[in-house]
Amino acid sequence: SEPVRVVHYINQAFAGIGGEEHADRPVEVRDGAVGASRALQQALGEQGTVVATIICGDNYAVEEPQAKEDIKAAIEKLKPDLVITGPAFDAGRYGVACTDTCLAAEALGIPAVTGMEPENPGLSGERKRAYTVPTGISASEMAAALKKMTALGLKRARGEELGPAAEEGYLPRGIRKLTHADKLGYERALDMLKARLEGAPFNSEVPLSEQN
């Protein structure tokens, strides 16, 4: 089969442009893999090709409404099979831009995947709908994060059915699907109670949100 055509979104730092002094840099599109996108291309191997890299400064991405419009227009013009953003690790502005870009791609009917630390502000509110692979806080985990992100992204690009978030390696999106179980509800509840009393591991069917 033909390699999956991938567009990668990164910020100015991971593009090798610079740090905070370039955080107001507007959206630009470069052909092929740039900066951290080269690591993404390595993770994709022969299964995918980074056809373009979208770059934007962190400040510009979250403060200028034009950024979202330009990024969406670029994706629409490039018509990739898959959009991958980040990973953003624990960088808040970068995380917000990554999830916004994913949701923009999804609105165009293009599957998208990102990656970041689960407490990143980029996962607040509606942004939780993005397919997000959990990462640590350090960019030293780049290779491991991209390996997981590409595996999930390629499955989505090929239209393969995904299993539950815990099995596929992405963060829960707040979406529940009905499935058939081998045991009745009260039997499963008793099994979980027994496991809890015995100190054995178990997974709740209704995970509770952490309350501060």
Side-chain angles (χ1 to χ4, degrees):
S1 60
E2 292 294 322
V4 172
R5 298 177 68 257
V6 181
V7 165
H8 192 198
Y9 173 85
I10 54 177
N11 68 359
Q12 82 285 351
F14 282 101
I17 294 170
E20 285 299 314
E21 68 276 14
H22 294 282
D24 294 316
R25 193 179 182 97
V27 177
E28 64 175 301
V29 180
R30 299 188 189 179
D31 292 337
V34 176
S37 297
R38 298 189 185 98
L40 172 59
Q41 182 59 69
Q42 186 174 7
L44 288 166
E46 297 181 354
Q47 299 182 79
T49 301
V50 179
V51 296
T53 305
I54 300 176
I55 304 164
C56 186
D58 283 333
N59 286 346
Y60 191 89
V62 300
E63 295 175 1
E64 297 293 338
Q66 187 64 40
K68 291 183 181 180
E69 295 182 20
D70 291 346
I71 291 170
K72 187 173 182 179
I75 294 171
E76 191 170 19
K77 180 179 179 180
L78 292 163
K79 294 181 172 58
D81 303 313
L82 172 67
V83 171
I84 289 183
T85 71
F89 303 106
D90 66 341
R93 291 168 300 168
Y94 191 19
V96 169
C98 283
T99 48
D100 283 349
T101 299
C102 283
L103 296 180
E106 300 280 359
L108 294 170
I110 300 170
V113 170
T114 189
M116 65 190 72
E117 201 273 330
E119 297 300 319
N120 192 302
L123 295 176
S124 61
E126 286 297 303
R127 295 187 178 92
K128 289 182 179 179
R129 294 187 292 113
Y131 282 87
T132 307
V133 171
T135 74
I137 63 174
S138 172
S140 64
E141 300 179 30
M142 177 71 76
L146 285 174
K147 182 178 180 180
K148 296 176 183 177
M149 291 165 64
T150 53
L152 177 62
L154 289 171
K155 290 188 72 170
R156 297 204 64 217
R158 292 166 179 159
E160 298 177 20
E161 184 175 355
L162 297 182
E167 294 179 8
E168 298 290 353
Y170 62 89
L171 295 173
R173 301 167 60 234
I175 298 174
R176 296 177 182 172
K177 295 182 179 180
L178 294 176
T179 60
H180 292 285
D182 296 330
K183 294 184 178 181
L184 296 175
Y186 78 89
E187 295 176 306
R188 303 197 303 276
L190 288 174
D191 287 343
M192 285 188 283
L193 176 60
K194 181 174 182 290
R196 181 167 185 173
L197 292 174
E198 293 176 349
F202 68 94
N203 292 318
S204 171
E205 295 181 13
V206 186
L208 301 176
S209 299
E210 294 184 4
Q211 301 293 329
N212 294 327

